[in-house]
Amino acid sequence: IEKRFLTFLGDTPLKSVDDELEKLRAAAVEKLDDAVDERRLEKNQLLRRLIARRCIYGVDINPLAVELARLSVWIHTFVPGLPLSFLDHNLVCGNSLVGIATFEEVSEEAIPVGETRSLFHPQLKSYMGDSADRIRAFRGLLDASIEDIEEAREAHSAVRRALQGLNALFDIIPLDASTSPSARICRPV
């Protein structure tokens, strides 16, 4: 992924990505002072951190496997002077074969007609509330400092609290297997 992103950024420079990489570089150099030559902080190291934070996701039912995955990502994305990335959102313990995969699965068209739709659809909209804004704010954090990690941890907790009602609703909505890929996967044979 890193190699392809580097190639893409070489062909198509993106100011927002370059700005984020520069912020990470500046934070690392500030923490290290003269301990390391600034030129040794290569763009690919910094980009690897952004990719891990924003593009790598995983779910496993085994908590030890989740912790080992986080450790592996931390080792692979280590940059001197920067704290370990906040990965509690990216690598989680759970069952990836059960539940709602997308918001489209609980859209008005996916929920069966009748009492179920009229019962759940208004709650879906109310539970969504400002969750999207909270998620965007969380996603925009860089993990360039310990303070950023703490802010990410607090933002993640706020998002989880805001989505508790929605998660509970997703757990009880009966979906039609013909419209829901995850329902097809989970349906007993």
Side-chain angles (χ1 to χ4, degrees):
I1 295 172
E2 168 198 335
K3 188 176 180 180
R4 293 198 114 176
F5 267 113
L6 280 172
T7 301
F8 176 78
L9 291 173
D11 297 339
T12 313
L14 298 174
K15 183 174 175 7
S16 61
V17 174
D18 288 338
D19 290 347
E20 288 188 27
L21 293 172
E22 188 50 44
K23 286 178 187 175
L24 285 173
R25 178 187 302 283
V29 168
E30 180 184 328
K31 291 290 182 195
L32 293 171
D33 290 330
D34 296 329
V36 74
D37 184 0
E38 181 179 344
R39 293 170 293 186
R40 293 190 63 193
L41 293 175
E42 297 178 12
K43 184 176 184 175
N44 66 324
Q45 288 177 290
L46 301 167
L47 183 61
R48 199 177 304 143
R49 262 183 85 86
L50 285 180
I51 291 168
R53 177 73 157 83
R54 302 212 176 132
C55 303
I56 305 298
Y57 296 93
V59 177
D60 198 299
I61 201 160
N62 182 341
L64 182 58
V66 173
E67 289 304 315
L68 289 173
R70 286 182 187 153
L71 178 62
S72 177
V73 171
W74 283 329
I75 290 170
H76 188 67
T77 62
F78 175 74
V79 175
L82 296 178
L84 299 175
S85 293
F86 180 75
L87 299 174
D88 290 6
H89 171 69
N90 303 57
L91 301 169
V92 298
C93 188
N95 192 336
S96 63
L97 295 178
V98 177
I100 305 293
T102 66
F103 287 115
E104 288 77 24
E105 289 182 21
V106 291
S107 69
E108 197 163 321
E109 295 78 34
I111 297 174
V113 178
E115 289 182 29
T116 305
R117 179 182 291 173
S118 63
L119 177 65
F120 293 119
H121 199 64
Q123 282 75 18
L124 177 66
K125 288 183 178 183
S126 70
Y127 284 138
M128 292 280 295
D130 65 342
S131 299
D133 293 334
R134 290 175 191 253
I135 292 169
R136 271 192 225 75
F138 166 72
R139 192 179 63 206
L141 298 172
L142 265 182
D143 293 355
S145 67
I146 297 294
E147 293 78 20
D148 288 350
I149 300 295
E150 281 306 313
E151 187 177 346
R153 186 168 279 114
E154 289 169 17
H156 181 255
S157 292
V159 167
R160 302 262 317 173
R161 282 190 306 274
L163 293 176
Q164 279 179 336
L166 191 60
N167 286 338
L169 184 62
F170 281 2
D171 286 344
I172 61 172
I173 290 178
L175 293 178
D176 178 6
S178 65
T179 61
S180 171
S182 63
R184 285 194 299 269
I185 291 169
C186 301
R187 182 167 286 236
V189 179

